[in-house]
């Protein structure tokens, strides 16, 4: 650890988070299941494979265009299971609530969770509630943990260990919507925009693709740290080069505009309904077609490929004909985005 | 809900918590697995029974005599699985950390978790870290979720549905230590005492008893709301009467003294290493003997019995020869005790 105090950047999903996980959590909890740092732990219980995952949500504000913290808490955990190749089955939900929080707001959050869980076909089966004094947390924080069944053949999807040069990289639509929607909704920013969070459960879209092909080589949802962080981690872990084509990455005009105003790069902005997929080149078009059949994949695109050069790195062919290395997020860009 | 704002009492584990769970969570998440309100959800995954549980920990202070928030987070979740009759296997850990929290304190918390997990024979297999701005949480909050394998014959232990009049109620030692140790450690109270939290993983003690007998009819760890809350819920759910013998309930002299000073009743004070067990009368002595063989059960005692009268209620034979109804905690006694 390069700092002796926790910094906001330790929660960014970028380099500092990486260090914190490596230097504190993996160091002490040390076991192969955790050390792999996949989105879900992949467990073998009496020859039955399970995926098991957890996430705490501290998004500010609690309600934002396109969703709220409860909706997000269900989608985020369902997606962590789904990108592991698992079928999400059961969630727990644990609330830390600030004294004085309006019960009607809590009920609205809980109703969103119930609705989203039903849509995704998962059940919320256990819970916990803690209340802390006023000023000791900020309105409400939610943890959702989840388990799902994982078919044995899909274990490598989490690791990306079957990836080969030539494989194509796909995404299921526009990036950056969630992060920018939340930023615009913060009270201190006096922006108004029509940008909505992309917050959604992707297990339906993903299972559609997995029914079509056994060759999905990697999936990860691009949340904190954005698409670039997912790809940088993938490149580093598997010592592969990744080439992105800037012109092919779907970014809405209003999101791009707001990113320019705020000084952000959409590639680093959090999504809550976007999965990065890697498939063999000869299955890319078929996969793209399948993704586009799903409501959550209408704007899917092939955004890059795995290459033999630049091992361990991600680089971008820019719109103006240049080429640049893109690196992991160094500090904190958007605190409390999820 | 009788209040339109969240009150501290909604986190007490008592009546208000009960209402919140019923009126908001169970109402909307509505499914039989959750509605049973057991400590762990009991899942059937391809004919394999699993227990699945979650808890968030917000204890104040983070370090207290006999433990810290990390130690507590492992013990609490291991115990929730163990009292379901399950063998705890895997935990997740999710941190919400306040910006500026010392990394060395975090590391100490994490080391305690690792040590306690190893002792209990469980693995921490997935995690998450969020950081919030200074003042938006209080140092560190931890969620641990856990899964364990549950043998089919043990499903009713969580519900207490096999309980019969005449059954004996046992506890594995002194009550109230945790709550009073934490209260004494709070900065605002200028008490010094040698009371230590009883925070410990009970899966070893419990599996010892379960190896000896198939007739454990109920188990629950007596955390927030104390022993009385566990028994009131049990009486209500199963429409049985419960009689407690005050003289037989183990309370340390210093804990009793501090309770008098602070105006608490030890029966309502949180424990983090105490299990309430119900067994048939003719197995009570054998079970007691077995519990006492474990380091965490040396001071085990038979504290009461299930009776035919007072259905749905708990009453106490007091030391001075009287008899009184004991009811669930109404408001908040000790906020942020776990």
């Amino acid at each position: 650890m390069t700092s002796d105090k926790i910094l906001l950047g330790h929660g960014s999903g970028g380099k500092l988070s990486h260090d914190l996980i490596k230097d504190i959590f993996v160091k002490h909890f040390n076991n192969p299941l955790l050390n792999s740092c996949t989105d879900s732990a992949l467990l073998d219980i009496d020859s039955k494979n399970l995926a098991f995952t957890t996430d705490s949500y501290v998004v500010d504000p609690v309600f934002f265009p396109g969703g709220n913290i409860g909706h997000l808490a269900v989608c985020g955990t369902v997606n962590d299971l789904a990108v592991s190749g698992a079928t999400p089955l059961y969630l727990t939900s644990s609330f830390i609530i600030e004294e004085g929080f309006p019960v009607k707001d809590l009920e609205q959050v809980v109703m969103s969770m119930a609705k989203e869980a039903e849509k995704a076909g998962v059940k919320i089966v256990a819970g916990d509630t803690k209340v802390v004094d006023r000023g000791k947390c900020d309105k409400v924080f939610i943890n959702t943990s989840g388990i799902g069944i994982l078919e044995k053949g899909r274990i490598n999807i989490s690791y990306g260990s079957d990836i080969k040069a030539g494989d194509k990289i796909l995404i299921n639509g526009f990036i950056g919507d969630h992060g920018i929607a939340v930023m615009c909704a913060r009270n201190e920013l006096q922006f108004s925009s029509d940008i909505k969070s992309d917050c959604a459960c992707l297990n339906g879209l993903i299972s559609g693709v997995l029914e079509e092909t056994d060759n999905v080589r990697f999936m990860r949802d691009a949340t904190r740290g954005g698409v670039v962080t997912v790809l940088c981690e993938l490149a580093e872990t598997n010592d592969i080069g990744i080439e992105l084509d800037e012109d092919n990455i779907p970014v809405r005009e209003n999101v791009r505009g707001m990113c320019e105003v705020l000084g952000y790069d959409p590639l680093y902005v959090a999504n809550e309904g976007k999965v990065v997929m890697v498939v063999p080149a000869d299955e890319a078009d078929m996969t793209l077609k399948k993704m586009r059949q799903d409501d959550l994949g209408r704007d899917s695109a092939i955004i890059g490929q795995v290459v033999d050069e630049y091992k361990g790195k991600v680089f971008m062919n820019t719109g103006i004909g240049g080429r640049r290395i893109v690196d992991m997020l160094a500090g904190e860009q958007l605190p409390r985005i999820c």
Side-chain angles (χ1 to χ4, degrees), chain A:
Chain A
M1 292 284 293
T2 49
S3 164
D4 63 353
K5 300 260 182 214
I6 293 293
L7 310 174
L8 277 176
H10 286 122
S12 66
K15 253 198 193 3
L16 282 170
S17 297
H18 219 243
D19 292 350
L20 176 65
I21 292 168
K22 198 174 83 258
D23 295 343
I24 303 283
F25 299 114
V26 166
K27 178 173 153 197
H28 295 294
F29 294 157
N30 186 34
N31 66 67
L33 291 163
L34 180 73
N35 299 359
S36 65
C37 291
T38 49
D39 262 351
S40 302
L42 309 182
L43 311 176
D44 189 332
I45 295 189
D46 287 322
S47 323
K48 198 76 217 168
N49 281 295
L50 288 182
F52 185 20
T53 191
T54 190
D55 259 310
S56 287
Y57 298 86
V58 296
V59 66
D60 169 39
V62 166
F63 297 93
F64 48 82
N68 64 49
I69 191 170
H71 178 204
L72 181 60
V74 170
C75 295
T77 294
V78 164
N79 290 347
D80 279 347
L81 293 170
V83 299
S84 304
T87 305
L89 291 180
Y90 297 109
L91 303 189
T92 59
S93 73
S94 180
F95 288 75
I96 300 173
I97 313 174
E98 187 182 12
E99 182 190 8
F101 187 66
V103 169
K104 73 164 183 26
D105 288 356
L106 179 64
E107 187 156 24
Q108 202 180 325
V109 165
V110 167
M111 285 168 64
S112 302
M113 295 179 77
K115 192 175 148 199
E116 199 59 34
E118 197 183 348
K119 247 169 78 180
V122 297
K123 286 193 169 64
I124 297 172
V125 294
D128 178 50
T129 315
K130 295 294 188 312
V131 178
V132 298
D133 329 48
R134 220 177 275 262
K136 297 300 183 186
C137 83
D138 192 13
K139 296 175 206 77
V140 61
F141 301 150
I142 303 177
N143 176 283
T144 42
S145 298
I147 58 179
I149 293 262
L150 180 64
E151 287 183 28
K152 281 214 184 292
R154 293 179 181 164
I155 285 181
N156 287 349
I157 291 177
S158 289
Y159 306 108
S161 47
D162 296 337
I163 289 179
K164 291 175 183 53
D167 286 354
K168 294 289 181 186
I169 298 160
L170 287 78
I171 193 149
N172 62 311
F174 293 102
I175 65 167
D177 296 7
H178 174 75
I180 297 302
V182 170
M183 286 308 286
C184 290
R186 290 220 175 133
N187 288 330
E188 58 264 45
L189 293 177
Q190 294 299 327
F191 290 119
S192 81
S193 84
D194 52 357
I195 300 167
K196 278 191 184 157
S197 169
D198 62 343
C199 189
C201 285
L202 297 170
N203 54 329
L205 178 142
I206 289 171
S207 70
V209 171
L210 292 178
E211 279 161 22
E212 209 75 5
T213 169
D214 289 328
N215 294 316
V216 172
R217 291 188 170 150
F218 174 76
M219 286 190 286
R220 182 74 56 92
D221 51 337
T223 57
R224 270 184 300 178
V227 169
V228 160
T229 302
V230 168
L231 293 176
C232 284
E233 283 180 3
L234 180 66
E236 205 181 298
T237 313
N238 293 286
D239 199 32
I240 54 172
I242 290 176
E243 177 180 29
L244 292 175
D245 302 310
E246 190 164 37
D247 285 347
N248 295 339
I249 300 173
V251 185
R252 291 183 204 280
E253 269 320 303
N254 53 2
V255 170
R256 193 188 300 281
M258 200 54 83
C259 278
E260 275 169 21
V261 171
L262 297 168
Y264 297 141
D265 180 338
L267 281 168
Y268 291 91
V269 174
N271 311 279
E272 290 294 344
K274 291 297 166 304
V275 54
V276 173
M277 255 188 227
V278 180
V279 299
D282 60 0
E283 295 196 7
D285 288 336
M286 179 275 286
T287 307
L288 186 69
K289 197 176 147 199
K290 185 74 194 169
M291 286 165 83
R292 286 183 172 165
Q293 285 168 10
D294 192 288
D295 274 343
L296 299 171
R298 298 268 172 259
D299 304 296
S300 297
I302 298 173
I303 61 171
Q305 40 275 325
V306 178
V307 292
D308 266 332
E309 328 152 76
Y310 294 98
K311 285 204 189 303
K313 302 277 179 209
V314 178
F315 65 95
M316 170 86 86
N317 297 321
T318 61
I320 50 166
R323 170 174 274 202
R324 64 179 169 94
I325 293 284
V326 287
D327 207 349
M328 225 183 262
L329 194 62
E332 174 57 294
Q333 193 185 41
L334 302 164
R336 299 184 59 192
I337 211 67
C338 62

